[in-house]
Amino acid sequence: MTSRLQERLLAIMDRKNHWAWTHLTGPGLTRDQLAVHFRHEYRVYVRDFPVLLARVLGQSPPAPVRSALAENLFEEQTGKLSLGVSHPELFLEMIDGLGIPRAAIEDESIPLEPEARAYRTLLDRVSAAPPWVVGAAVLTIFVEGSVHERAELEGRREVLPIEEALRAHPIVRHYGCPPEQMRLARAHRAVEGGHRRDAWEMVLGHVPDEGPTADAVTAAVAAAHAAWMEYRDGVARAMGLRPG
């Protein structure tokens, strides 16, 4: 049985889907199009996710939350709970496997779409401003979560064994990234189950089911979803993709 707050948040996560996903998981994209997509993912949140988490941690949440955030941050920045390499570096390792120059992803002189800058501004704002639980909800439930959140919580989501999952991954299957350079997926498989549990526990365990704080958390996650949808629209436009 979900609480009222959890149900409100899950209703948002149920809609964390975008029409461009079918393009991104299928064949037919050029390396330039892939570079646009991954450049935005990397510079908007992948590269600096440890920093965003650190801002929430710096607001001195309760001790159990500090531990969960610190463990998440430690893994993101060092990878020492999984493969010993930071997640941003593992992301770039995947880029290497695609044959895309790292400069096409990292070069700050290449502008990001305005919707991407707006989404990042939102992440910067909620991660730095109190109450800590709002930033924690946006970062750990929304940003790290997916449209499959409800199924995962209910134990209904079936996943392939990691070796099969890597072979079936669109980046491997359609674009030739060697499976050995998909270690980011391995790291995620190793730690994300614990991080998902921590995400929900730190929010639901410290927010009354109803009231102004629950409303603030829900509003912030809804705003993040709206900004993310616009962000994905902007990236799809830059890639030359169209709905349908």
Side-chain angles (χ1 to χ4, degrees), residues 79-93:
K80 290 186 178 179
L81 300 178
S82 60
L83 303 179
V85 180
S86 77
H87 288 211
E89 180 61 26
L90 291 175
F91 185 94
L92 292 173
E93 186 177 283

Side-chain angles (χ1 to χ4, degrees), residues 56-75:
V56 179
L57 178 60
Q59 294 181 48
S60 297
V65 176
R66 295 187 202 186
S67 295
L69 287 171
E71 182 177 284
N72 194 346
L73 193 164
F74 181 69
E75 170 60 21

Side-chain angles (χ1 to χ4, degrees), residues 29-240:
L29 297 177
T30 67
R31 285 298 186 273
D32 286 344
Q33 287 175 308
L34 290 172
V36 170
H37 166 66
F38 287 120
R39 176 187 311 133
H40 282 81
E41 295 288 276
Y42 182 75
R43 286 172 52 192
V44 169
Y45 72 94
V46 170
R47 177 189 61 193
D48 297 329
F49 197 68
V51 176
L52 298 174
L53 289 172
R55 290 174 181 162
V56 179
L57 178 60
Q59 294 181 48
S60 297
V65 176
R66 295 187 202 186
S67 295
L69 287 171
E71 182 177 284
N72 194 346
L73 193 164
F74 181 69
E75 170 60 21
E76 289 282 342
Q77 187 60 54
T78 71
K80 290 186 178 179
L81 300 178
S82 60
L83 303 179
V85 180
S86 77
H87 288 211
E89 180 61 26
L90 291 175
F91 185 94
L92 292 173
E93 186 177 283
M94 178 182 68
I95 297 302
D96 295 339
L98 287 167
I100 297 172
R102 289 194 179 195
I105 306 302
E106 297 181 288
D107 188 349
E108 294 284 343
S109 70
I110 304 174
L112 300 179
E113 295 303 304
E115 297 92 338
R117 296 196 299 273
Y119 179 49
R120 174 55 189 264
T121 296
L122 180 148
L123 298 181
D124 283 331
R125 183 176 69 251
V126 300
S127 64
W132 66 265
V133 73
V134 169
V138 170
L139 294 180
T140 68
I141 290 179
F142 182 78
V143 175
E144 289 194 294
S146 75
V147 71
H148 304 293
E149 200 73 15
R150 188 184 297 273
E152 289 184 2
L153 287 175
E154 295 175 357
R156 295 185 291 104
R157 190 183 182 200
E158 296 183 6
V159 295
L160 294 171
I162 185 61
E163 299 302 333
E164 291 182 45
L166 289 179
R167 289 193 296 270
H169 196 289
I171 299 303
V172 175
R173 182 179 177 188
H174 301 306
Y175 299 103
C177 183
E180 58 268 23
Q181 289 186 264
M182 292 289 294
R183 293 197 298 164
L184 181 60
R186 290 186 184 277
H188 284 163
R189 180 69 68 92
V191 301
E192 283 306 310
H195 287 175
R196 303 315 306 133
R197 289 189 297 273
D198 288 346
W200 286 100
E201 287 173 4
M202 75 174 73
V203 173
L204 299 179
H206 295 87
V207 179
D209 204 34
E210 297 192 41
T213 305
D215 291 343
V217 166
T218 304
V221 173
H225 176 262
W228 179 81
M229 291 291 285
E230 292 178 0
Y231 157 59
R232 296 308 321 166
D233 283 343
V235 175
R237 181 186 63 240
M239 294 174 69

